Amino acid sequence: MALSPFQVAGAFFAIQGRMQAGRAEARRQAAIAAQQEQNKRFEQLRALQEHNARLDAFDAYRSTTNAVRAINMRSSDDRSIRALMKAGEKQSMADIDRARTQSLFTQGRMQFAAEDARRSGALAQQQALISGAQSIATMGYQMEQITPTEGP
């Protein structure tokens, strides 16, 4: 018995459908990866803006401390003024370091999510290819089952 055109068409459409689903999933995952990359860039920008704001706040603190020093007619060598400046600088640097660490951690998570989405898309395409091959093998097996064997 010859191959049934319906079986061939069914296998063809099954393969095409699975391949199309794989490509669609890969496109969806690529969009997710692009969004995560964009989020990472936004996080970098946000971190830079916060860093600049913290530096501005420290400069304002330093200016205020200098103004208070001048109003109170204290010299720049005054120990209490120097201690205030040193404490303010130490606190500012700790805040900047903490924010930088948090931002780098967040950016790393976003980068991982983007890479994971790209890998998922590639796996979806591989799965579609394997599924298509399975359809061909299944069609061959079904043909073998319905095709009479020639005997003596």
Side-chain angles (χ1 to χ4, degrees):
M1 178 173 194
L3 283 175
S4 167
F6 293 114
Q7 284 180 316
V8 172
F12 174 76
F13 288 127
I15 292 167
Q16 286 298 101
R18 289 183 176 121
M19 296 298 283
Q20 180 62 28
R23 285 189 297 272
E25 180 62 17
R27 284 191 303 273
R28 188 179 80 77
Q29 293 296 334
I32 291 171
Q35 181 63 52
Q36 290 296 335
E37 291 288 342
Q38 183 68 29
N39 290 347
K40 179 184 171 191
R41 287 190 291 277
F42 283 147
E43 175 61 25
Q44 288 171 336
L45 178 61
R46 186 197 61 75
L48 181 60
Q49 290 170 336
E50 283 188 11
H51 175 77
N52 289 340
R54 281 184 174 86
L55 290 178
D56 289 344
F58 178 68
D59 284 343
Y61 171 79
R62 191 182 344 207
S63 295
T64 302
T65 304
N66 283 332
V68 168
R69 180 186 55 83
I71 289 170
N72 291 326
M73 294 195 274
R74 292 190 160 175
S75 76
S76 59
D77 291 335
D78 187 275
R79 285 188 342 196
S80 62
I81 296 295
R82 279 197 323 239
L84 283 172
M85 293 292 276
K86 187 174 181 178
E89 183 176 357
K90 184 177 178 182
Q91 182 63 42
S92 292
M93 290 298 117
D95 288 346
I96 287 171
D97 289 344
R98 186 174 30 258
R100 181 182 304 124
T101 301
Q102 180 61 39
S103 178
L104 289 173
F105 176 73
T106 302
Q107 289 175 43
R109 276 193 342 238
M110 291 173 179
Q111 182 66 37
F112 174 79
E115 290 169 4
D116 187 51
R118 278 191 284 276
R119 281 190 300 270
S120 293
L123 286 173
Q125 285 187 312
Q126 288 175 356
Q127 177 61 33
L129 185 63
I130 290 168
S131 185
Q134 179 204 5
S135 292
I136 292 171
T138 300
M139 183 192 73
Y141 175 74
Q142 289 171 344
M143 280 303 299
E144 184 180 85
Q145 295 301 309
I146 62 170
T147 304
T149 57
E150 301 206 17

